[in-house]
Amino acid sequence: MDRQPAGSTRRQFGQRAGLAMLGLVAVGCGGPAPAKPGQSDKVTGEIRMITPIFEGSDGAKVLSGLMADFTKQYPDVKIVPDYTTYAKLNEKLTTSLASGRPYDVMLMGVGWIPPFAAKGVLADLGESESALTSLYSERVVAPGVYDGKVYARPIMLDTRYGYYRKDLFKQAGLDPEKPPTTFAEIRDYARKLTVRDGSGKLTRAGIDILGIDLRQGFETLMWAAGGDLFTPDGKVAFNSPKAVSALQLMTDIIRTDKSEDFGFTEPGAATGVPIVQGRAAMMLGHNNTWQEFEQNAPNLVKDGQVGFFVVTGERPALFQGGTIGAVSAKSKQQAAAKEWVKYLASAQPSLRANQQRGNVPALKSLVSSEYVQKNPAVQFAMKNLDHAYSEGGVPAWLQIRGDFKAAIESALLGKTTPQQALDDLAKKAEAAIASGK
Amino acid sequence: MTGPMTTTAVRRTETAVAEAAPAKPPRRGRRLGWERRRAAVLMVAPAVILLTWWIGIPTIASLVLAFTHYDVLAGTISWAGLGNFRDIFADPIWNRSIWHTVVYTFFTVPVAMAIAVAIAVLLNSKLRGRAWYRAAYFLPHITATVAIALVWMWMFEPNIGLFNAVLGQVGIQGPAWLSDPAWAMPAVIVVSVWKGIGLKMLIYLAALQSIPPELYEAADVDGATPRRKFFAITLPLLRPATFFVFIVSLIDSFQVFEQVYVLTPDGGPANATTVMTLEIYRSAFGKFDMSRACAQSMVLFVFLLVLTVISRRLTGKDSDAEL
């Protein structure tokens, strides 16, 4: 006997299917829920951690060692790391939050805390800011604090400042012990250090300003020019005359002085770091560029041919980022997660992590460590932390920061003036801040 | 029944009945028994479930979210009406990304199809080592896009890359390719055309081999030139394949992401290679703005829908039956 579904049954099925779909959509939109009282305060359970700083086999080896040490102390805790890079961190965090299952522990960058804390994603660590500043550099404690509460502990710092090659200074008739101390000197020295072949092809950049993230390079110069990203009350300030003068300096180096060609280098290029290879005489670099020198030009290190300088305009300034550890407000294992973050930010674990990445320890007590004593780039950074500035500061920072690169590029390519580029960017930033997204 | 009918009379009768009252198709339930229908449902079910889960629900979710302010960090959602659409069309970068997608499609679809036809015709002839050539042309299609893009990045490298080294040999200083706004998009297009040729060529090759050789023999008898045979026989008979390749390539081009993302992760210098999918990705994962990304996805969806409908109207009617 044939059983034909009745029309009404079909309709009912359609209605049910539609409702089920809408239900699933609603579930998908769930997002993180606020922390529930009574979540486990026992140091037990499985912790999922997202980390952008232990990627690669060397990093994974260091983290495995740290996890093994931690679980000796807390045998009932299991840590499940998810390795990523800073380039992919946004993606992973977004999908975990959208799925309603955020990571228990999130290692993230300086500048990330206000957007996440303002939206209730992060758990208050219950720490005292003043207590932390007695242990860590104040510069890296502040980015973990939002609205008076501590949401993250510092694990490592990373800085950007000037590198120069003393041997190439000598070749160009410059005093190898006197790096540039003003914007005018930066331009002047760069012109003298630039080398082109008979056909006009650039063979050595006087200064490489493209070898690091363009936003971070611009910010370093902007702070040195006396500018800032935002006013203390959260308004856009990166199109102020001082900030514009920083972008003008970058544009002059490329377009007027031709001390570097756009596209000559880029961050993380597979072809290597130009200053290490002698294809650039100065650069705005990361403190871990020193590792590149040690690995690929040990003779320069041995002969003391690598020098550093703090970029100085109206004031000396270096860019300071860092990696900080936060705990999800939705984590069911908050006690274990907080202990794990505390452990990662303590002396030995943080030293091992910093050593592996060539970074700057955040703990004051590590200044005397053998690693710091043997690494002049890290020592230089630590010595100049008083001149350090960090990006971020407004909850909309993550919406804003991605637009910097294209704006800076348009000025460097002569498509817009520095003022136009930053004004256009400011309009977008103001809209993002106003929308409260 | 009054008596036996002749065969002719029976046929006449049947014809008359048929003309008087067109036969209704047998009811589905009668034609297929319950067992067979159940088997059919079971066989179709996995595909329906997968399509619903991976395409149906995300599409509906995107459509709903496009009209909301969905804060992925806070987990809050509120009605936005057409606000997201107004915002994206007021954004010059999004509008440029649409233009870039159109330019990219223009060069990667018709140009690549023309090249693929030419190669397919060549490889359909009695060429020595044609199996090797066929494999060589198809190889890029089955190689991971990321791996391909990385190799091309090396070739485009301005200081030590292959292209500038070759240009240097003839006294030309090559551009910075992926860092030069004038050359970044052409560089991405070259990679995409090269990667896409293999599949198009394979489809055309299969279509060429289905053309009856008698047609060419008759044309030979009539003294047709190879050029005449190509335009009068080959090209018209390739129409179903052309329609299929065109639609698939069009959709593929509008959805391009991998090669653009790997070759120019930030959308090229000053957004010179920012295409729609890259901008959607940046909205969702760079700016955590899911609603904006959903609105942009809906625009892309509508583009694809309209293009597909236009294509079907222009070329598809005759071809559908032959596909």
Side-chain angles (χ1 to χ4, degrees):
Chain A
M1 186 181 163
D2 290 342
R3 282 180 293 175
Q4 289 268 40
S8 60
T9 312
R10 278 187 190 147
R11 273 201 299 276
Q12 281 169 359
F13 174 77
Q15 285 164 355
R16 282 173 195 160
L19 285 170
M21 275 187 195
L22 285 174
L24 281 165
V25 170
V27 167
C29 300
K36 288 175 189 168
Q39 277 169 327
S40 170
D41 56 357
K42 288 179 189 168
V43 185
T44 58
E46 186 177 293
I47 304 170
R48 289 172 68 238
M49 176 180 77
I50 175 98
T51 164
I53 57 166
F54 292 105
E55 80 277 17
S57 55
D58 290 344
K61 201 173 158 189
V62 170
L63 185 61
S64 306
L66 298 179
M67 289 191 300
D69 289 349
F70 180 76
T71 46
K72 270 182 206 161
Q73 196 179 344
Y74 297 106
D76 295 332
V77 176
K78 185 185 174 194
I79 298 153
V80 183
D82 189 352
Y83 299 97
T84 186
T85 62
Y86 266 112
K88 296 279 176 196
L89 185 61
N90 278 22
E91 212 172 292
K92 293 237 177 187
L93 285 175
T94 312
T95 43
S96 74
L97 290 167
S99 71
R101 196 169 168 248
Y103 295 93
D104 298 287
V105 170
M106 295 174 258
L107 303 192
M108 49 175 70
V110 164
W112 291 53
I113 295 301
F116 280 76
K119 302 284 171 67
V121 175
L122 305 178
D124 178 356
L125 295 186
E127 304 274 1
S128 144
E129 185 179 355
S130 57
L132 287 182
T133 44
S134 66
L135 298 171
Y136 300 94
S137 160
E138 194 179 339
R139 293 274 171 190
V140 80
V141 171
V145 180
Y146 179 74
D147 214 12
K149 292 175 183 168
V150 175
Y151 288 96
R153 264 182 181 261
I155 296 169
M156 61 175 66
L157 295 171
D158 54 74
T159 50
R160 317 285 185 278
Y161 48 78
Y163 277 82
Y164 72 102
R165 286 272 298 262
K166 294 180 181 179
D167 54 335
L168 302 179
F169 264 51
K170 276 181 219 160
Q171 274 181 26
L174 296 168
D175 184 343
E177 300 307 322
K178 287 188 178 171
T181 53
T182 63
F183 278 5
E185 279 186 358
I186 287 176
R187 282 185 69 182
D188 182 40
Y189 287 19
R191 277 194 300 264
K192 288 175 179 160
L193 290 159
T194 302
V195 179
R196 289 181 185 270
D197 66 13
S199 66
K201 186 182 174 186
L202 183 69
T203 54
R204 189 174 76 202
I207 182 165
D208 176 14
I209 57 168
L210 308 171
I212 58 169
D213 181 285
L214 272 182
R215 183 187 76 243
Q216 295 173 350
F218 161 71
E219 285 169 346
T220 308
L221 295 170
M222 179 195 67
W223 286 313
D228 215 336
L229 284 171
F230 303 100
T231 60
D233 59 345
K235 291 193 177 121
V236 171
F238 54 73
N239 60 340
S240 68
K242 287 175 178 174
V244 171
S245 74
L247 187 52
Q248 186 65 56
L249 173 68
M250 295 175 85
T251 309
D252 289 341
I253 286 169
I254 301 278
R255 302 193 63 77
T256 308
D257 303 342
K258 301 199 182 303
S259 298
E260 185 175 28
D261 290 342
F262 192 85
F264 182 71
T265 182
E266 59 184 25
T271 46
V273 181
I275 194 169
V276 178
Q277 299 162 336
R279 292 193 297 118
M282 298 189 284
M283 85 172 290
L284 295 181
H286 189 289
N287 46 259
N288 69 8
T289 303
W290 182 255
Q291 285 187 322
E292 293 281 339
F293 277 109
E294 285 184 322
Q295 285 163 17
N296 298 317
N299 286 339
L300 291 175
V301 172
K302 192 177 147 202
D303 297 343
Q305 297 300 325
V306 185
F308 317 103
F309 63 95
V310 175
V311 178
T312 308
E314 281 196 8
R315 62 188 178 191
L318 55 84
F319 175 100
Q320 181 235 300
T323 301
I324 49 190
V327 171
S328 165
K330 208 182 174 186
S331 171
K332 288 177 182 161
Q333 316 295 345
Q334 291 212 358
K338 285 175 185 173
E339 278 305 316
W340 172 234
V341 168
K342 199 171 173 181
Y343 174 78
L344 283 176
S346 63
Q348 281 311 307
S350 121
L351 181 64
R352 280 152 79 180
N354 277 284
Q355 203 162 359
Q356 188 260 322
R357 291 180 71 87
N359 265 347
V360 182
L363 268 169
K364 289 176 182 170
S365 61
L366 292 177
V367 176
S368 56
S369 66
E370 192 186 346
Y371 160 66
V372 173
Q373 293 302 312
K374 283 188 173 174
N375 188 319
V378 168
Q379 272 187 46
F380 182 81
M382 294 186 93
K383 202 171 99 183
N384 288 286
L385 276 180
D386 287 346
H387 307 305
Y389 296 84
S390 295
E391 58 182 10
V394 293
W397 174 241
L398 294 177
Q399 280 81 53
I400 297 166
R401 63 181 197 143
D403 292 324
F404 269 84
K405 187 167 186 263
I408 294 166
E409 282 173 339
S410 71
L412 298 185
L413 290 161
K415 288 178 171 289
T416 55
T417 64
Q419 183 75 61
Q420 282 169 336
L422 294 177
D423 282 348
D424 291 347
L425 189 62
K427 273 185 205 160
K428 292 183 91 170
E430 280 159 3
I433 291 169
S435 73
K437 282 178 183 173
Chain B
M1 196 177 277
T2 55
M5 293 172 77
T6 63
T7 311
T8 313
V10 171
R11 279 187 193 145
R12 276 186 194 144
T13 308
E14 281 172 356
T15 309
V17 169
E19 282 171 0
K24 286 181 185 172
R27 286 181 65 186
R28 199 177 176 81
R30 288 183 191 161
R31 199 176 58 198
L32 298 174
W34 165 243
E35 292 297 323
R36 293 179 70 188
R37 283 198 296 129
R38 192 176 62 175
V41 167
L42 284 174
M43 280 189 277
V44 171
V48 171
I49 291 167
L50 285 176
L51 282 171
T52 306
W53 186 255
W54 293 113
I55 295 176
I57 293 173
T59 304
I60 293 167
S62 293
L63 181 65
V64 173
L65 292 176
F67 294 95
T68 65
H69 284 309
Y70 170 40
D71 188 329
V72 71
L73 296 184
T76 56
I77 192 162
S78 60
W79 184 250
L82 293 171
N84 290 317
F85 292 94
R86 274 196 296 270
D87 285 351
I88 61 170
F89 285 112
D91 179 3
I93 294 174
W94 170 249
N95 292 333
R96 275 181 69 194
S97 78
I98 295 175
W99 174 242
H100 289 157
T101 308
V102 171
V103 170
Y104 173 88
T105 302
F106 179 79
F107 284 102
T108 52
V109 178
V111 173
M113 283 171 72
I115 298 171
V117 170
I119 293 171
V121 170
L122 199 67
L123 296 184
N124 197 38
S125 61
K126 287 171 185 166
L127 192 71
R128 184 184 288 180
R130 66 178 179 176
W132 188 91
Y133 285 117
R134 285 175 184 176
Y137 277 109
F138 192 65
L139 210 56
H141 176 71
I142 53 165
T143 308
T145 308
V146 174
I148 285 172
L150 287 172
V151 171
W152 279 86
M153 271 174 87
W154 273 98
M155 296 201 290
F156 285 131
E157 209 287 322
N159 303 300
I160 57 164
L162 178 69
F163 291 118
N164 282 2
V166 171
L167 289 171
Q169 292 296 314
V170 292
I172 298 170
Q173 192 179 327
W177 297 107
L178 298 170
S179 302
D180 185 332
W183 286 100
M185 183 55 97
V188 172
I189 287 171
V190 166
V191 178
S192 298
V193 168
W194 177 80
K195 180 173 167 47
I197 291 283
L199 185 65
K200 295 180 183 74
M201 182 269 300
L202 194 74
I203 295 166
Y204 276 124
L205 202 55
L208 283 170
Q209 288 173 356
S210 70
I211 297 175
E214 297 80 22
L215 296 176
Y216 293 108
E217 287 163 13
D220 284 336
V221 170
D222 290 342
T225 61
R227 182 188 161 89
R228 177 82 177 141
K229 282 191 283 184
F230 177 76
F231 284 104
I233 301 172
T234 310
L235 220 49
L237 292 177
L238 285 181
R239 196 175 169 194
T242 301
F243 171 70
F244 176 74
V245 172
F246 181 68
I247 291 292
V248 169
S249 306
L250 200 67
I251 293 169
D252 208 33
S253 289
F254 264 78
Q255 293 179 329
V256 62
F257 179 77
E258 281 171 293
Q259 51 264 56
V260 178
Y261 182 64
V262 178
L263 289 166
T264 53
D266 296 302
N271 285 310
T273 61
T274 299
V275 288
M276 291 166 84
T277 49
L278 191 72
E279 189 55 16
I280 292 168
Y281 170 82
R282 291 201 301 212
S283 293
F285 300 112
K287 300 183 174 179
F288 295 95
D289 195 341
M290 289 293 165
S291 303
R292 182 186 174 84
C294 288
Q296 291 168 331
S297 301
M298 282 301 116
V299 174
L300 177 60
F301 178 77
V302 170
F303 262 88
L304 291 173
L305 199 66
V306 169
L307 284 170
T308 308
V309 170
I310 292 172
S311 306
R312 284 180 69 88
R313 293 209 172 224
L314 289 176
T315 57
K317 280 181 184 169
D318 298 337
S319 312
D320 282 355
E322 298 172 60
L323 277 173

